[in-house]
Amino acid sequence: MKYYLGIDGGGTRTTASVCEKNGALVCKVKGKTINFYSVGMETARKNLSDIMNDVYKKIGDITFKSAFIGCSALDNRADEVTVDALCGGIIRSDKITMDSDTYVALFSGESSVSRAVVICGTGSMVTGIEDNEKIYTKGGWGHVIGDGGSAYSIAVEGLKEAVTLFDENEFDSPLVKSAQRYFETDNLRRIIDEIYSENTTKDIIADFAKCVSFEAEKGDTVSIRIIKNECNKLLRTVYSLLNEMNSCKILYLYGGVFQNNALFTEYFVESVKEKYPSLKTELLKIPPEEGALKIAREQDE
């Protein structure tokens, strides 16, 4: 029996799926991020090892015919050194290929037309493809210098506003109260130690974006402004890609921000429709790990 491995490694979590040659799904395992820029290669390897140990427990000690990995640390095809650095001694496969997480998402959607996918989760990035050959990539600069519109960026802007309002003695501000609840304190100054603790990972900060979204949907004007400003940052990145492509028929949306932030998604879709009336925009219905599986199977043909 031939088995194939597809992995979607996002900024916060990773999903690995295994299928047979005919595409029948065998198992699916979730774990922590394998973004080696975010957590370091040692931690990324440990997280991948934990995931693959669970996979092998489910399907036995086998060697895959082909494996394809989408990783949010990448924006193009990884070289053999990078593949071995992450996967060596962990994944047993006749062939292992790695590319960006947006690349595998491209193959989860309609594959017969020029298309693009924008991923907006812990980080953000957009990739397009024409004639299933020419690739365009924008964004994906990481949380230090980029990732506009991402959960991390929304959360940081929300926390910046919260501490500014706190300094202005606006203690009843929705964002101040929300930040205090999130960090379980009645004095916002006490969050400094936690914010800068080595144990406070990027995903812990990014999760505060849900609080900003919640306050925006309740009508808090400061939170609404943050959501729209962050959405506009992402729109600039998306527009730069769409303007470079000769044609794009479908723009797929994927990631936690699109799935959990109704105001952000509505504003994004309306803005794209206004600028590109003929472009179809929709949520990606098939998860990226299944796009990775599709590519893995094709590699064996």
Side-chain angles (χ1 to χ4, degrees), residues 25-79:
L25 189 65
V26 176
C27 74
K28 182 176 290 192
V29 171
K30 295 182 182 292
K32 297 180 181 179
T33 183
I34 57 171
N35 186 319
F36 45 85
Y37 286 141
S38 177
V39 298
M41 187 61 80
E42 182 179 352
T43 299
R45 279 181 57 85
K46 180 184 182 305
N47 293 344
L48 181 61
S49 180
D50 289 343
I51 291 165
M52 292 309 302
N53 284 339
D54 286 345
V55 168
Y56 289 127
K57 285 178 184 177
K58 291 177 180 291
I59 63 173
D61 188 19
I62 59 98
T63 297
F64 298 101
K65 290 299 296 179
S66 177
F68 200 97
I69 301 169
C71 179
S72 57
L74 302 171
D75 63 4
N76 52 35
R77 193 59 52 92
D79 57 29

Side-chain angles (χ1 to χ4, degrees), residues 25-300:
L25 189 65
V26 176
C27 74
K28 182 176 290 192
V29 171
K30 295 182 182 292
K32 297 180 181 179
T33 183
I34 57 171
N35 186 319
F36 45 85
Y37 286 141
S38 177
V39 298
M41 187 61 80
E42 182 179 352
T43 299
R45 279 181 57 85
K46 180 184 182 305
N47 293 344
L48 181 61
S49 180
D50 289 343
I51 291 165
M52 292 309 302
N53 284 339
D54 286 345
V55 168
Y56 289 127
K57 285 178 184 177
K58 291 177 180 291
I59 63 173
D61 188 19
I62 59 98
T63 297
F64 298 101
K65 290 299 296 179
S66 177
F68 200 97
I69 301 169
C71 179
S72 57
L74 302 171
D75 63 4
N76 52 35
R77 193 59 52 92
D79 57 29
E80 291 183 3
V81 174
T82 303
V83 172
D84 186 64
L86 180 62
C87 306
I90 297 174
I91 296 177
R92 296 185 291 276
S93 180
D94 292 344
K95 183 174 185 178
I96 304 175
T97 310
M98 287 173 48
D99 210 305
S100 71
D101 55 341
T102 51
Y103 182 83
V104 296
L106 279 172
F107 291 88
S108 296
E110 171 60 53
S111 60
S112 63
V113 298
S114 295
R115 60 205 182 276
V117 59
V118 51
I119 291 183
C120 192
T122 304
S124 64
M125 185 174 173
V126 57
T127 298
I129 186 169
E130 288 181 329
D131 303 320
N132 280 325
E133 186 172 297
K134 189 173 183 180
I135 301 292
Y136 303 80
T137 298
K138 303 289 183 180
W141 295 101
H143 69 287
V144 174
I145 59 173
D147 284 353
S150 69
Y152 185 87
S153 189
I154 291 171
V156 168
E157 291 305 312
L159 289 170
K160 286 180 179 179
E161 288 286 355
V163 298
T164 298
L165 289 165
F166 185 86
D167 281 343
E168 294 171 345
N169 297 327
E170 297 289 340
F171 304 126
D172 290 331
S173 164
L175 271 181
V176 171
K177 289 185 173 181
S178 189
Q180 290 179 165
R181 286 194 300 270
Y182 185 77
F183 289 100
E184 299 180 344
T185 180
D186 58 0
N187 185 333
L188 202 58
R189 292 205 64 83
R190 295 190 183 126
I191 74 170
I192 295 174
D193 288 343
E194 189 161 355
I195 288 289
Y196 295 102
S197 168
E198 62 180 13
N199 296 321
T200 302
T201 55
K202 187 171 69 171
D203 58 301
I204 292 175
I205 300 295
D207 206 43
F208 183 70
K210 295 176 183 176
C211 300
V212 181
S213 173
F214 177 76
E215 298 301 341
E217 290 174 2
K218 285 173 58 181
D220 177 49
T221 55
V222 177
S223 299
I224 291 171
R225 172 168 52 81
I226 292 170
I227 294 297
K228 289 187 175 181
N229 285 346
E230 288 299 314
C231 191
N232 283 327
K233 291 178 185 178
L234 182 61
L235 284 166
R236 286 186 64 183
T237 303
V238 172
Y239 292 161
S240 66
L241 180 133
L242 294 175
N243 290 338
E244 190 171 322
M245 292 181 70
N246 293 320
S247 66
C248 182
K249 302 299 183 183
I250 304 176
L251 176 65
Y252 290 109
L253 316 179
Y254 188 77
V257 174
F258 287 125
Q259 293 166 331
N260 301 318
N261 194 319
L263 174 63
F264 185 101
T265 304
E266 181 179 344
Y267 183 76
F268 181 94
V269 171
E270 288 178 353
S271 299
V272 171
K273 186 176 294 185
E274 183 177 348
K275 192 171 181 66
Y276 300 93
S278 62
L279 178 63
K280 186 177 180 181
T281 304
E282 63 181 51
L283 291 173
L284 187 67
K285 298 180 179 64
I286 301 174
E289 64 270 14
E290 295 192 24
L293 278 178
K294 180 180 178 182
I295 303 170
R297 289 162 56 207
E298 291 175 350
Q299 285 184 156
D300 188 41

